[in-house]
Every structure is written in structure tokens, then in C-alpha cells.
Amino acid sequence: MWHVHGSWTTAFVHSGHTCVLPLDPERGPDGRGRARTWDWPVNAVEVPVDELHDTEIDLVVLQRPHEPELAERLLGRVPGRDVPAVYVEHDTPRGGVPNTRHPLADRSDIPVVHVTHFNALFWDCGRAPTRVVEHGVPDPGHLYTGRTERVGVVLNEPLRRWRFTGTDLLPAMAEEVPLDLFGMSVGEVPRRLGLEDAALRVYEDPPQAAMHAELAHRRAYLHPLRWTSLGLSLIEAMMLGSPVAALGTTEAYEAVPSEAGVVSTDPYVLREALRGYLEDHEHAIRTGTAAREAALRRYGLSRFLDDWERLLEEVSR
């Protein structure tokens, strides 16, 4: 498997299976090896790409459209024929939704594993067998204090992804609630949005544990993404014990029950909910505690790993 999606892979490598991660000298997209900012167990093993042909591989976890051909070239074996394979689809469909056809739609030898039921509903997977294994998140602990009267947000590449991540919604939010934005490539966001530090502060790509500690001190968490499978940062914030306000798109309604926060397609409703958390710390604590319980119940790591174990055994047979 390749290190494509750091948070998802962090959960997956906790399975105890030896997870072979290709490594090239440049640590490029097809050879990153182990993550540098996540704490992965020793069973996540780097193997140089020129040694993969002679490495015994039981199953290939594909995650990008070019990986079936890449795996065949590196292993000398055809995924789905010579070696079992699954394709994990992390993303919502692009293009002509809801008619977007999946890259594996014309194949029946590799199951497409969706991370949300929304994705399974909206992708046209054609002949490919489909499964859903919902996200699992390692428990960061009930760290919430909410002592900092600001709202946390986590977005990666918010300027490039713009409407996908709901970056355009931040100025109106920041008029009423001060925001602290964490993620990759966030440094230029305040300038591009014309916002001062009092309204929007940014923290560039902190290590995961440090980010969790910082988020736990914010009074609440905002999830403004329009078009994403289900941001793992939302689940992580809930597990920290933070109350959340989430844009009511894709899988958010499934993830956040009413007692755990507010979900709405109206940004004004989210803004008012966040103001309520800022003004009433006790209300924020109660809501965040319910959010943590809901996230552990549905997105706990043990359930995720059990689901994957059953699927891997099925595909390997």
C-alpha cells in the first residue's frame, strides 16, 4: 500500500498486519514510505521500490487510479488476478455528479471499498463489487478544555481547494466568531481573505498530536467543507470532546447526532451555534461530551479494524 491519506493510513496500520510501504530515494508521491508526522507502529515497513519484485505480498491496497498499473510494474503481478487487491475510494466523485463513473467500474476483479455510504451512493461503480468500511480513528483522548474562546478549523490546501473546503465561508464566520485555522498551506489564507489576526490565526501543518492538543483548548470546532467524504478532523475533534458545527453536506448528518453539535446547510445557523458555545462554556462541555461518545461509538478503531479484517479475509480467499 502507499502512504496517500495520512489519517486513514494511521488507523489502517494498527491492524497488526505487516504493511509494506514503497520507498524511493526522493520520497515522492509513489514512494513516501512511512509518515513523518504520524506515530505509526513498527509493522508499517518501508521497502525500496527496486526490492518489491522479490517481496512476498499477500494483498495490494490500491487508492489512486494509476496504482493498478504501478503495482503490476513494481511487483510483476497483476492486481486482482495474480495477487488479491482492494481499491479504497477516499474521495467524493468529481465532474458530472451523480453520473461520475469510477475508474474501476469496468472491472469485476477488484472490490471498491468506500469510506462512507454517501460515496457508495454517488459513485457509479459499474461492474465492480462495492463495500463500505466507515472510518476508524485512534482515540486521542478526552482532552477538551475549551479555555480559549476561539473556534478551531482544520483545512488542508484551503486556497487551492477553495469551495470544496468552504474557504469562501470563513470571512462571514469570522465576523462573529474568531477562528484558528490548522492545516497544510494555510499561511496565505488571512491575507487572501483580508482578515486580521483577531479574526483568523493560522497554524501551518503542526504534528498531529500537537494539533490535537491545540484544538482541545478551542471552545468549539467548525467543519465548513462542502464536498468531502467525511473529514477525519471532524471525527477527531468530536473524540477530543469538542462541540462541533458542521456544514450539512455529504456524510455530516450521519456523523453528528443532534446532541453532539449542529449540522446545517445554512452558514448563519452554524455561526449562531458557535456563538452559543463561546458564550456558554458549560453548554459547550455537555455538547462536546456527547460528541465524544457518539464518535467513539461509531468511528472507534476496533470496529474499523474488525470490519477490515473480515474484508481482507474475504478478498484473500
Side-chain angles (χ1 to χ4, degrees):
M1 64 184 297
W2 284 266
H3 170 203
V4 173
H5 189 302
S7 294
W8 183 89
T9 309
T10 297
F12 189 86
V13 297
H14 277 83
S15 65
H17 293 293
T18 300
C19 298
V20 173
L21 297 144
L23 176 68
D24 62 32
E26 295 78 26
R27 290 191 178 271
D30 292 334
R32 287 195 178 104
R34 286 173 56 94
R36 290 294 181 253
T37 56
W38 280 275
D39 184 17
W40 287 0
V42 295
N43 56 286
V45 178
E46 295 178 340
V47 175
V49 292
D50 57 1
E51 297 179 13
L52 287 169
H53 193 278
D54 299 321
T55 300
E56 184 178 349
I57 299 294
D58 302 301
L59 182 138
V60 181
V61 178
L62 306 164
Q63 300 171 79
R64 295 170 295 175
H66 72 283
E67 286 184 359
E69 184 278 331
L70 176 63
E72 180 180 352
R73 175 164 53 83
L74 294 177
L75 297 174
R77 283 157 279 177
V78 178
R81 187 191 72 189
D82 304 324
V83 59
V86 296
Y87 188 107
V88 181
E89 182 50 72
H90 294 289
D91 296 326
T92 46
R94 303 291 190 261
V97 180
N99 298 318
T100 312
R101 195 160 173 84
H102 195 274
L104 266 64
D106 295 324
R107 299 184 62 161
S108 60
D109 55 345
I110 299 178
V112 176
V113 186
H114 297 284
V115 297
T116 68
H117 290 279
F118 180 92
N119 282 11
L121 182 67
F122 271 71
W123 274 106
D124 175 6
C125 286
R127 298 172 55 212
T130 60
R131 303 286 191 276
V132 176
V133 177
E134 292 188 323
H135 285 304
V137 176
D139 182 9
H142 195 170
L143 305 180
Y144 179 77
T145 68
R147 67 189 183 202
T148 301
E149 295 183 10
R150 297 178 70 89
V151 172
V153 189
V154 177
L155 302 175
N156 288 324
E157 300 184 88
L159 294 178
R160 180 183 68 82
R161 297 167 68 197
W162 198 249
R163 285 180 60 83
F164 278 77
T165 53
T167 310
D168 58 304
L169 303 175
L170 298 183
M173 291 288 179
E175 288 179 1
E176 296 291 337
V177 294
L179 304 176
D180 284 345
L181 174 62
F182 301 80
M184 295 187 296
S185 303
V186 299
E188 286 295 305
V189 174
R191 185 184 66 81
R192 285 280 299 273
L193 297 181
L195 296 174
E196 302 293 334
D197 277 358
L200 177 66
R201 301 187 304 206
V202 294
Y203 300 82
E204 178 65 36
D205 198 19
Q208 189 182 43
M211 184 178 71
H212 286 163
E214 289 293 333
L215 284 174
H217 294 319
R218 272 56 183 179
R219 182 63 56 86
Y221 182 81
L222 169 65
H223 188 70
L225 289 90
R226 278 190 179 89
W227 194 243
T228 180
S229 297
L230 179 60
L232 287 174
S233 58
L234 172 64
I235 301 171
E236 290 168 355
M238 293 170 68
M239 285 190 177
L240 290 169
S242 298
V244 299
L247 202 63
T249 57
T250 64
E251 195 85 354
Y253 279 107
E254 290 285 333
V256 185
S258 59
E259 68 273 14
V262 175
V263 181
S264 176
T265 54
D266 184 349
Y268 176 82
V269 172
L270 302 186
R271 189 171 67 179
E272 291 303 297
L274 292 170
R275 285 183 58 187
Y277 297 138
L278 290 175
E279 294 168 359
D280 188 342
H281 195 184
E282 292 301 317
H283 171 51
I285 291 172
R286 289 192 301 272
T287 306
T289 299
R292 173 172 166 78
E293 292 172 354
L296 288 173
R297 186 167 56 247
R298 182 158 188 169
Y299 301 106
L301 187 60
S302 60
R303 190 275 310 153
F304 172 82
L305 295 177
D306 286 347
D307 288 353
W308 265 107
E309 190 67 22
R310 285 191 293 271
L311 179 58
L312 294 177
E313 289 178 0
E314 175 189 335
V315 174
S316 295
R317 285 198 300 271

